Amino acid sequence: MILELAEAGGCPRDLVGGKAANLAEMTSAGFPVPEGFCVTTAAYRQVLADGEGPRLLGELTCGPPDDAGRLASRLRAHVLTVPIPERLETAIVEAYERLSPDGPVAVRSSSTAEDLPDASFAGQYDTFLGMRGAGEVLAAVRRCWASLWADRAVRYRATHDTDLAPAIAVIVQRLVDAECAGVLYTANPVSGKRSEVIVDAAPGLGEAVVSGAVTPDHYRLDAEGETVEGPDDGCLTPSRLSALAAVGGELERHFGAPQDVEWAFDGEGELWLTQSRHITTLFPVPESKELRAYWSVNVYQGISRPFTPMGASMIRERQRGMAVYLTALGFSDEITDVDGWLYWDITEGVRNPAKRSKMAAFADSLAAPSGRIVEQLGRDRRFLSAPSGRGVPPKKPRRRWERMVLAWLWPDRARAKVVRDAERRIAAFAGRAEATADERLSFVESVRRDVCRIEADLPRDANTAGATGGQLAGRLLRGHVDESEVAAVFLGVPHNPTTEMDLALWKVATAIRRDEEALRFLLETAPDELAAKQLAGTLPDVIQQGVAAFLTEFGCRATSEIDFGVPRWAEDPEPVFAMLSNLLRAEGEEQDAEARFEHAAAAAEARIVELTRRLPVTELHRAVLARFLLRRSRRLRGLREFPKFCLMRGFAALRTQLLLVGEEIVRAERLERADDVMFLDLAEVREALGSRDHRATVARRRRLWERESRRPRVPSVVLSDGTAPAVESDPGGGLTGLAAAAGVVTGRARVIHDPDGARVEPGEILVAATTDPGWTPLFLTAAALVTETGGMISHGTTVAREHGIPAVVGVPGATALITTGQVITVDGSAGTIRFGKEPR
C-alpha cells in the first residue's frame, strides 16, 4: 500500500502511476528529488472496492459513452465519501510523520494514465501544496483519488483514447521552500527545435507557473546553456540557467527523449526536481549531428497517419523503382523510418542550385507548398555550404513521338494495350488457392518486387500522350487562352478508375434509394453492423448484391491505401456503408453524380470548341491541331490513376496470402491475430512461421502505431533540429494555395480529419489536411475542396477536376484556420479562399 519513493524504482506503472514511476527512477539515478512516499494504486483499489464502487466502474467501462460523465460524477462522489480502511489510514499517517512531522508537504496525483509518451495529462489531476498535519494530508489524498473522475480528466482520456478506467496513486513529498520555481523544456515545445532550451520561472512555488496564475519570466537558451532571450531582471541568474540546462540535458539523455521538467531552487540555492516527463507534442524526426532537411513521404502520398511496419517495407521497395530519377533531383537513395513516419533526406537538393528548382517543382506538383519551402530553405544561410556534387539534374526523358502519335490517332487501342498488360501482370499476383503457409509466404517473397513496381513497369506511352497532348495544345493556344482555361477542358475525363469507383458507389446508392425498405434499413443501421451483415451475407438483396458487386471491383481500395498494412474495403466494408449513408442523404437532381459527371464532360467538349475558336482564321491549322490534341488527351487522361489502381489490386492479392499465413501463425500461438503480420516485415513473418514468438514485438509496435496515429498534424518538410518550415499566406485576411481545379463556390466549410464515417452535406466545402482515393466518394456531395497539401497531379486534385468541383490545395494550416460551419468562398482558378457572409 505504501512505498518510499527511493524504494519504488523499477515498480510497474500500474502500481505507482506515471509521475511516481518517473520520480522514483530519477531518485535511483541520483537526480535531486525531494524525499517522499507513494500511496500506491493498491490503496486506491481497496477504497474503490467498497460499496457501489465496483458496480459503477463496471457500468462505466461497459456502458454507452453517453453515460460516462454521469457515472464518473457518481464515482467521484463515492471516493470522496467512502470510509478509508483504518489500517490504510494509519499507514498513511505514519509515513507522513516519518517524512515531515507537522511539516508542510506536497500531495500529488500519480495516475496510471499520466505522463505517457503521447499524452502528458498535465493539470488533469489534482495537486495540493503546503498540507500540514495528518488530517490535511488524508483529505488531500482522498481528493487526489477523486480527481481521477473529474470531468476534465474523463474528457481528456476520451480524447486521447486511453484507459477508460485507470487507477491512481498519490505522492506525498517534502515541500521545497522555493525561492524560485518553474518549468524547463529541453526542446522548444512550440517550434519543435531540439537545439533550444525553454525555461519559465517565477518567485515562489512552481505551481503558479504550471497553473498559469502568473506571467512567468521566459528564457530561451541555446544547446550550450547560453541565454538567447530573456529578461535582464528575472528571478534566475545566468549560473542557475546554466545549471538548469545542464540537468535538463542529463534528464533527456537518461530518458532518451526531450523532457518537460518541473524544478525549484530553495533558499539555500539548491536545485530540486519535482517532475520530468516526455514532451508529447514534438513530431518525430531523424536524428543527425548536422542540420539536414527531410520531406515527408506520408504527406507526398496523401496520408496523415504513420505507416505500419509492413506498409513501410513495401513503400520502400516501391520507391526504389524511382531511385535513379529521385537521386538525380537531390533526394536520398533510401527512405528513413521514424516511428512509422517516412522521410526522404532532401538536403542535397536544397543545397544544390542546379537541382533545387527541379526538386521544388516536383514536390509542389504532388504536395504543395513543399516546393516553396524547398526554395525558401535554399536561401537559408545554414544550407549555403557547397553541394556534394553527387549526380546531375535529370534530363527530360526522351519523348517517343512516334508512339505518342499512334496513341493520339488510336487512343482506345492504346489504352486497351495498357489494360491488357496490367491484367496479365496482376493475374500472376493471385497465388494458388490451395497451398501451405510456407508456400504462400515464399510466393509473396517472390512476387513482392513485381507488385511494388507495377506502376513503373506498365507501358507509359499512352499515359504520356495524355499529359503531353494537353501541354502541346496549351502551347498552340498560347496568347489567346490562359493556362487555367486549358485545365478546365479536363473535367469529366473518362476511364479514370477512381472516378469510376465513385460513380459505381453512386449507382449502388441510387438502386438502394428506389427500395424504400432497404433505404430505411441502411439509414437506420450503424455502418459497423451493416458491414458484419454484408460479410455474413444477410443484408436485403439490393444492398447485399450492390455492395458485393462494388467490392468485387473496388474492394482493393481503402483510406490510406498506399499503406499495405491497412485493411482493404473487401476485408472491412464499414467505410463503404458510411459513404453510402452520406450519398443517400444527397437528394435532388442537382446532386445526381452521374448527371453532374456527364454535364462536366459536355461542358469540357464545349470549352474545347470555344477556346480553339479564339484563334484567328490565319491560324486555323493550329486551332484544328489543338482541338484534336485536347480531345485525344481527354480520352487518355484517365490512365493517370490507372497504375496506382493496379498497385492496389496487387496489394490486395498479397494481403490475402499474408493473412492466411498469419492465421497459421496464430494457430501456432506465436501471434494473437492474423493481421499482426502487418506489424512485422517479411523476414520476421518467416521467423514467426518457424518458431519465434513475435507477440511482444507486435504489441509494442501496435502501441507505437496507435500513439503516433493520434498526432493532429503532419509537417511536409522538417529539419533535423525539429523545426517545421512553413510558408506564410494572408492576402487581405484570406488564404492562398495552389489553384488546382477551376470554379468559384461559396458555402459552409466541413473540416474532416478522417473520411471513414465522415459526412459532407450537399453544398458543403470539404476541408482536409490531405486526401487520397479513399476520400473521393466524399467529393460527390462536396461543392469544393480545400487541402493543406496536394499538387496539380496528386490523386485528390485530379479527381476533383474530373468531378467538376473547384479545388485549392497546398493551403498551410487550412484545417486549423477554417472551422466547420464557417462560410468561405473557394476560387479554384485564382487559388484563394475568402471568408465572408453567405450570398443571398
Side-chain angles (χ1 to χ4, degrees):
M1 297 290 182
I2 308 292
L3 283 173
E4 298 294 328
L5 270 183
E7 299 172 341
C11 286
R13 178 180 290 267
D14 62 2
L15 179 64
V16 298
K19 188 178 297 177
N22 286 357
L23 287 172
E25 185 172 342
M26 292 161 65
T27 301
S28 299
F31 289 99
V33 176
E35 293 178 291
F37 64 90
C38 177
V39 183
T40 70
T41 58
Y44 162 78
R45 289 189 169 99
Q46 186 180 67
V47 169
L48 193 68
D50 287 346
E52 63 173 357
R55 180 181 62 79
L56 291 172
L57 191 63
E59 290 181 11
L60 178 72
T61 54
C62 302
D66 292 345
D67 286 347
R70 177 182 61 82
L71 292 168
S73 179
R74 293 181 63 184
L75 274 167
R76 186 165 64 253
H78 169 75
V79 172
L80 287 171
T81 56
V82 68
I84 299 177
E86 182 178 352
R87 186 178 176 188
L88 173 59
E89 185 174 297
T90 300
I92 294 172
V93 171
E94 289 177 350
Y96 163 66
E97 290 177 345
R98 287 194 302 271
L99 174 68
S100 180
D102 294 324
V105 293
V107 182
R108 312 168 71 199
S109 303
S110 179
S111 172
T112 54
E114 183 174 12
D115 291 351
L116 303 176
D118 62 326
S120 68
F121 281 80
Q124 301 305 311
Y125 306 116
D126 284 344
T127 290
F128 301 95
L129 304 180
M131 298 295 101
R132 289 179 180 271
E136 286 190 4
V137 170
L138 287 170
V141 168
R142 185 190 288 275
R143 289 163 68 188
C144 284
W145 288 335
S147 71
L148 187 66
W149 303 109
D151 290 341
R152 63 176 184 269
V154 173
R155 287 195 300 269
Y156 192 97
R157 289 197 293 270
T159 300
H160 288 79
D161 195 26
T162 56
D163 190 359
L164 289 176
I168 192 166
V170 180
I171 307 163
V172 180
Q173 283 179 287
R174 180 177 57 80
L175 184 67
V176 177
D177 184 13
E179 180 182 275
C180 182
V183 181
L184 159 73
Y185 299 97
T186 65
N188 191 319
V190 177
S191 70
K193 197 169 187 178
R194 267 63 164 185
S195 57
E196 288 185 346
V197 174
I198 301 298
V199 178
D200 281 353
L205 298 174
E207 183 64 17
V209 174
V210 174
S211 66
V214 299
T215 300
D217 297 333
H218 181 76
Y219 302 87
R220 183 163 58 92
L221 316 177
D222 61 22
E224 286 70 41
E226 295 295 322
T227 303
V228 177
E229 175 189 346
D232 295 330
D233 57 350
C235 65
L236 289 175
T237 63
S239 62
R240 288 187 175 184
L241 284 168
S242 180
L244 283 170
V247 78
E250 293 174 15
L251 284 166
E252 183 172 305
R253 287 188 290 274
H254 178 80
F255 286 108
Q259 295 292 294
D260 166 356
V261 184
E262 293 181 21
W263 55 268
F265 283 102
D266 64 17
E268 304 291 324
E270 189 170 357
L271 174 62
W272 295 96
L273 305 178
T274 56
Q275 187 163 315
S276 188
R277 58 194 175 204
H278 288 358
I279 301 175
T280 59
T281 56
L282 298 177
F283 201 87
V285 296
E287 293 183 2
S288 174
K289 293 181 179 179
E290 64 169 330
L291 188 66
R292 311 288 297 180
Y294 302 95
W295 189 35
S296 168
V297 177
N298 299 69
V299 170
Y300 153 61
Q301 290 294 346
I303 64 172
S304 56
R305 63 183 68 172
F307 279 86
T308 59
M310 185 67 75
S313 70
M314 291 291 188
I315 201 71
R316 281 196 292 269
E317 181 63 49
R318 176 182 182 262
Q319 300 308 112
R320 289 185 187 116
M322 302 169 60
V324 173
Y325 176 75
L326 290 174
T327 53
L329 282 175
F331 290 84
S332 55
D333 294 324
E334 288 287 336
I335 291 172
T336 301
D337 184 344
V338 185
D339 296 346
W341 303 106
L342 307 186
Y343 298 98
W344 271 301
D345 188 323
I346 60 172
T347 311
E348 184 178 346
V350 167
R351 287 178 175 169
N352 192 326
K355 298 180 179 182
R356 189 184 310 131
S357 61
K358 296 182 184 299
M359 173 186 277
F362 176 81
D364 259 354
S365 70
L366 292 162
S370 302
R372 280 183 285 165
I373 296 174
V374 167
E375 295 283 11
Q376 286 178 190
L377 289 175
R379 298 188 293 271
D380 189 322
R381 294 175 59 186
R382 297 173 297 173
F383 288 101
L384 292 181
S385 58
S388 67
R390 179 172 63 92
V392 294
K395 296 179 180 178
K396 290 184 178 180
R398 184 176 65 85
R399 287 175 172 166
R400 300 177 178 179
W401 290 104
E402 66 283 359
R403 296 187 181 182
M404 284 197 289
V405 169
L406 292 174
W408 289 328
L409 290 171
W410 294 285
D412 294 337
R413 185 185 302 176
R415 188 180 62 257
K417 178 182 176 182
V418 177
V419 172
R420 283 196 304 272
D421 186 88
E423 293 298 335
R424 176 182 60 81
R425 294 175 186 275
I426 292 170
F429 302 153
R432 290 161 45 195
E434 300 294 330
T436 65
D438 184 78
E439 290 170 339
R440 293 186 193 281
L441 182 55
S442 296
F443 172 76
V444 171
E445 292 168 334
S446 68
V447 301
R448 168 184 178 237
R449 183 181 183 278
D450 292 337
V451 169
C452 290
R453 303 195 183 188
I454 188 172
E455 296 160 291
D457 293 340
L458 288 174
R460 303 179 187 178
D461 297 317
N463 202 336
T464 303
T468 304
Q471 294 169 0
L472 291 177
R475 293 179 189 175
L476 291 168
L477 297 171
R478 188 176 296 164
H480 303 277
V481 172
D482 291 337
E483 187 175 332
S484 61
E485 292 180 300
V486 176
V489 165
F490 297 104
L491 304 176
V493 168
H495 311 303
N496 182 325
T498 304
T499 307
E500 290 174 343
M501 174 189 76
D502 298 340
L503 294 177
L505 193 63
W506 178 264
K507 290 177 182 177
V508 175
T510 301
I512 295 171
R513 189 179 283 111
R514 296 193 190 106
D515 187 320
E516 291 186 10
E517 184 176 343
L519 174 62
R520 185 169 56 255
F521 180 82
L522 192 146
L523 292 177
E524 293 176 355
T525 308
D528 59 341
E529 185 179 344
L530 290 166
K533 290 180 179 294
Q534 172 73 34
L535 295 174
T538 58
L539 288 172
D541 284 348
V542 67
I543 303 176
Q544 185 75 40
Q545 294 171 12
V547 173
F550 175 82
L551 293 175
T552 297
E553 190 167 2
F554 299 107
C556 61
R557 313 216 77 158
T559 306
S560 302
E561 64 186 13
I562 197 67
D563 183 352
F564 181 90
V566 171
R568 310 290 111 173
W569 287 337
E571 302 167 40
D572 177 13
E574 180 180 343
V576 174
F577 285 103
M579 290 184 291
L580 274 173
S581 179
N582 183 57
L583 295 180
L584 286 169
R585 289 176 169 84
E587 299 180 352
E589 293 184 7
E590 71 280 1
Q591 295 301 322
D592 189 316
E594 288 184 275
R596 286 169 57 186
F597 187 80
E598 292 171 1
H599 175 75
E605 172 59 29
R607 193 69 164 160
I608 291 174
V609 174
E610 189 268 325
L611 293 179
T612 53
R613 281 180 176 171
R614 293 186 190 178
L615 273 69
V617 176
T618 55
E619 298 184 23
L620 181 61
H621 60 292
R622 291 175 60 189
V624 171
L625 181 55
R627 189 175 300 183
F628 170 81
L629 288 171
L630 289 172
R631 284 172 172 165
R632 296 312 168 94
S633 182
R634 278 182 53 80
R635 300 271 288 277
L636 296 168
R637 279 287 179 109
L639 288 172
R640 161 73 180 86
E641 295 284 300
F642 184 71
K644 170 85 177 293
F645 182 56
C646 294
L647 177 66
M648 293 307 103
R649 292 176 64 187
F651 273 12
L654 292 200
R655 275 186 61 89
T656 298
Q657 296 294 324
L658 270 182
L659 290 172
L660 290 170
V661 174
E663 289 176 3
E664 181 65 27
I665 300 173
V666 170
R667 284 192 286 271
E669 299 184 344
R670 289 189 286 274
L671 288 178
E672 295 291 340
R673 296 159 35 182
D675 67 347
D676 282 350
V677 294
M678 301 305 164
F679 288 85
L680 303 171
D681 59 28
L682 288 179
E684 291 168 329
V685 175
R686 173 66 68 186
E687 291 173 351
L689 192 57
S691 59
R692 187 167 178 178
D693 190 327
H694 271 299
R695 284 178 289 190
T697 299
V698 168
R700 184 179 69 256
R701 291 177 181 173
R702 273 193 185 275
R703 286 195 299 271
L704 176 64
W705 184 85
E706 289 167 357
R707 182 190 89 192
E708 292 301 313
S709 294
R710 292 193 288 271
R711 290 197 181 273
R713 193 172 303 278
V714 185
S716 59
V717 177
V718 294
L719 305 184
S720 56
D721 68 1
T723 56
V727 293
E728 295 183 359
S729 172
D730 185 16
L735 304 173
T736 60
L738 180 68
V744 180
V745 164
T746 297
R748 296 192 179 277
R750 172 75 67 171
V751 180
I752 292 178
H753 300 285
D754 185 344
D756 293 345
R759 180 185 302 172
V760 177
E761 299 294 340
E764 289 184 329
I765 295 170
L766 171 59
V767 181
T770 187
T771 61
D772 75 347
W775 287 74
T776 60
L778 295 175
F779 294 7
L780 295 177
T781 51
L785 172 69
V786 176
T787 63
E788 295 182 345
T789 67
M792 290 301 294
I793 62 173
S794 59
H795 300 287
T797 52
T798 298
V799 176
R801 285 194 295 271
E802 293 175 9
H803 282 312
I805 63 173
V808 178
V809 301
V811 183
T815 57
L817 298 170
I818 301 171
T819 57
T820 294
Q822 189 173 23
V823 175
I824 60 175
T825 297
V826 176
D827 189 333
S829 302
T832 61
I833 298 111
R834 298 190 306 276
F835 301 94
K837 296 180 179 179
E838 197 166 9
R840 295 180 180 178

